[in-house]
Amino acid sequence: MSDKRMVGKQAPRFEMDAVMASKEFGKVSLEENMKNDKWTVLFFYPMDFTFVCPTEITALSDRYDEFEDLDAEVIGVSTDTVHTHLAWINTDRDSNGLGELKYPLAADTNHVVSREYGVLIEDQGIALRGLFIISPEGELMYSVVNHNNIGRDVDETLRVLQALQTGGLCPANWKPGQATL
């Protein structure tokens, strides 16, 4: 794993094959989001057809409109193939599948992007749960990585995104609508 600091620097650029919200195969890239003046919420998860992952992926999808309202594109990434992603999306939620998703799932099958973002577990070929928020200028503004047993909090991701977008200094426990320092 890389020990170099990433927050406050330009985020590693990426382009990956993905299953789009339309269930068609396409590509996602940081450059495209930047060109469209969008924030990027890039999150990595270990693998398809597991237990904690679908809870996070569907929770983000269920609140996708809130990210969209904040000019943010959400991209989920694992080292699985787009074909595995599509099979999981085509499995309904009652059967531990994802069902309809409102954002793309990207395939980092060569592990390049997971490695560049410092979340690859090399000996297993899977990613840790890393979440990164990247500004429309390509600056990595937020990075959190946690153990694969623990799912992330959509409220906290939205709160941090909104705090970053204020451009101000946000105190502990700041909530949208509150004054900045």
Side-chain angles (χ1 to χ4, degrees):
M1 185 150 108
S2 144
D3 341 329
K4 63 182 190 293
R5 174 179 70 83
M6 292 173 58
V7 172
K9 295 184 174 180
Q10 284 293 301
R13 300 299 188 257
F14 60 80
E15 180 176 88
M16 291 177 278
D17 291 327
V19 178
M20 308 311 275
S22 63
K23 295 189 183 183
E24 291 171 17
F25 295 129
K27 290 203 181 293
V28 290
S29 76
L30 182 53
E31 296 287 346
E32 184 70 15
N33 289 354
M34 291 168 62
K35 193 177 77 183
N36 294 325
D37 202 32
K38 297 283 188 186
W39 288 76
T40 301
V41 176
L42 179 70
F43 76 95
F44 294 84
Y45 65 94
M47 64 182 93
D48 294 352
F49 292 101
T50 53
F51 299 100
V52 178
C53 300
T55 65
E56 294 188 303
I57 293 168
T58 57
L60 280 160
S61 184
D62 290 346
R63 300 198 45 204
Y64 179 75
D65 296 350
E66 294 173 63
F67 287 96
E68 207 171 36
D69 289 345
L70 295 168
D71 288 325
E73 293 293 340
V74 176
I75 300 171
V77 186
S78 81
T79 56
D80 294 294
T81 66
V82 287
H83 302 287
T84 307
H85 287 344
L86 185 59
W88 201 23
I89 290 166
N90 283 332
T91 304
D92 68 41
R93 290 185 182 188
D94 296 338
S95 306
N96 199 38
L98 299 177
E100 299 292 322
L101 275 194
K102 294 184 180 168
Y103 60 85
L105 284 188
D108 182 29
T109 50
N110 61 10
H111 304 175
V112 167
V113 183
S114 302
R115 189 174 289 119
E116 284 184 341
Y117 278 83
V119 296
L120 184 67
I121 305 172
E122 292 281 351
D123 59 340
Q124 294 177 38
I126 63 171
L128 288 165
R129 292 188 196 285
L131 185 138
F132 302 87
I133 299 178
I134 304 162
S135 75
E137 296 72 44
E139 183 182 351
L140 184 58
M141 305 290 285
Y142 179 78
S143 160
V144 63
V145 180
N146 54 279
H147 192 281
N148 281 338
N149 290 350
I150 297 147
R152 289 159 283 204
D153 185 322
V154 179
D155 286 330
E156 178 62 1
T157 303
L158 282 161
R159 185 190 77 83
V160 170
L161 177 61
Q162 290 169 299
L164 290 168
Q165 289 181 350
T166 68
L169 302 174
C170 297
N173 303 317
W174 177 89
K175 297 275 190 281
Q178 293 179 344
T180 55
L181 299 177

